[in-house]
Amino acid sequence: MLNEKLHKLGVLGCVICVVGSIVIALHAPQERSIESVKQVWKLAIQPEMNDLLCLAAFLLYAASVVAIALVLIFHFAPRWGHTQVMIFVGICSLMGSLSVMSVKALGIAVKLTFEGQNQFFYLETWLFVMVVTTCVLTQMVYLNKALDTFNTAIVSPIYYVMFTSLTIVASVIMFKDWDGQSASNVVSEICGFITIISGTVLLHSTKESSDTRRSLSFVSAMSPSLSGRLINGTIDSVKRIEEDSELPSATIPLCRHELFPQ
């Protein structure tokens, strides 16, 4: 509908993204069945008995994410946010990893509620609602700032890579998705993820070249008389500047004397 054409490299990037997604889907771990929001809450705060330093691993991850995001928002963003793309995108990606986990828990609550087990009687459900609202609003604000400040072809692939990477890390910590998986499946998922990243970067790298071609086609579509007048006008302006710069300095007092006689 927008009369936009996809470059050949863009088509290749789409195909690469699809292939990477299929590889991840084929080797993805089986999700454990969750029966209530309280079970999700226990997964988030459960202690790791094998190592005392890893107690409540997800809470430690969430606290680190919030702390880093606050430092980026209040210290780095006002100073270097409009010159460093990683600051705005980093805020979006960090908060996005928490929003995905909360949305998953909220989706489970809604599903169980429709099945007759009302989960909105639990305080944990409303806590997840608050986290989702806060994280999504923060993502929208800073993603819009990044898109307004920097080129979309730069923001999109960086945001995709950081957001997906942090979401995978958060999911591994909270839901223990990779527990019991073979090494080959884990390696295949990582390869699929790298394939998606490559396709996304290739897809967005063609956007800038497409914009440039549209600009050139617009200029070439101008009438010959209009383009000729623009060129001639520019040449005349340059000649006048050169002639003015070659005037002798003695003519300047004469002109001033004629304009402002004693």
Side-chain angles (χ1 to χ4, degrees):
M1 291 188 298
L2 299 177
N3 296 322
E4 295 181 348
K5 295 182 179 180
L6 195 60
H7 192 266
K8 291 182 179 179
L9 289 178
V11 175
L12 179 61
C14 290
V15 173
I16 292 175
C17 289
V18 172
V19 171
S21 301
I22 292 174
V23 171
I24 291 179
L26 291 177
H27 296 87
Q30 295 292 328
E31 290 188 1
R32 64 178 68 187
S33 59
I34 298 177
E35 299 177 355
S36 67
V37 174
K38 283 190 171 293
Q39 187 177 354
V40 179
W41 182 255
K42 289 179 181 178
L43 288 173
I45 65 174
Q46 65 180 351
E48 297 289 342
M49 296 301 179
N50 297 329
D51 191 351
L52 294 177
L53 296 177
C54 295
L55 293 177
F58 185 78
L59 289 183
L60 180 61
Y61 171 81
S64 302
V65 165
V66 172
I68 296 173
L70 290 176
V71 171
L72 290 175
I73 291 172
F74 293 106
H75 180 72
F76 289 96
R79 294 170 173 82
W80 303 288
H82 294 279
T83 57
Q84 300 295 328
V85 65
M86 296 297 293
I87 295 176
F88 288 154
V89 176
I91 296 171
C92 299
S93 303
L94 289 167
M95 301 305 290
S97 64
L98 295 182
S99 67
V100 170
M101 298 299 102
S102 301
V103 164
K104 188 171 183 177
L106 189 58
I108 293 172
V110 172
K111 174 178 176 292
L112 294 175
T113 300
F114 280 118
E115 291 178 354
Q117 305 176 26
N118 193 347
Q119 301 294 308
F120 287 91
F121 289 130
Y122 300 119
L123 179 63
E124 290 84 357
T125 303
W126 294 105
L127 180 62
F128 286 130
V129 171
M130 185 176 65
V131 173
V132 168
T133 304
T134 304
C135 293
V136 170
L137 289 177
T138 305
Q139 282 181 266
M140 291 175 60
V141 169
Y142 285 95
L143 183 58
N144 283 326
K145 287 185 177 182
L147 294 173
D148 288 340
T149 306
F150 303 99
N151 193 337
T152 306
I154 299 175
V155 173
S156 297
I158 295 176
Y159 175 62
Y160 177 83
V161 172
M162 292 185 64
F163 173 75
T164 309
S165 302
L166 291 172
T167 301
I168 290 175
V169 172
S171 179
V172 169
I173 294 174
M174 182 173 181
F175 295 103
K176 308 296 184 295
D177 287 338
W178 285 356
D179 287 357
Q181 272 204 303
S182 63
S184 61
N185 284 334
V186 174
V187 172
S188 298
E189 290 180 40
I190 295 175
C191 292
F193 177 63
I194 295 174
T195 303
I196 293 177
I197 292 173
S198 303
T200 304
V201 173
L202 182 61
L203 177 62
H204 286 279
S205 65
T206 61
K207 180 179 181 298
E208 206 167 53
S209 60
S210 299
D211 294 340
T212 304
R213 285 195 302 272
R214 282 196 295 269
S215 300
L216 292 175
S217 63
F218 173 75
V219 173
S220 62
M222 294 168 57
S223 63
S225 58
L226 178 59
S227 59
R229 287 197 298 271
L230 290 175
I231 296 174
N232 293 332
T234 304
I235 295 175
D236 293 339
S237 300
V238 173
K239 286 182 178 179
R240 283 198 298 270
I241 293 173
E242 292 177 351
E243 291 174 357
D244 292 342
S245 63
E246 293 176 358
L247 288 175
S249 59
T251 60
I252 299 177
L254 177 61
C255 295
R256 294 182 60 188
H257 179 72
E258 291 177 353
L259 292 174
F260 304 101
Q262 295 292 337

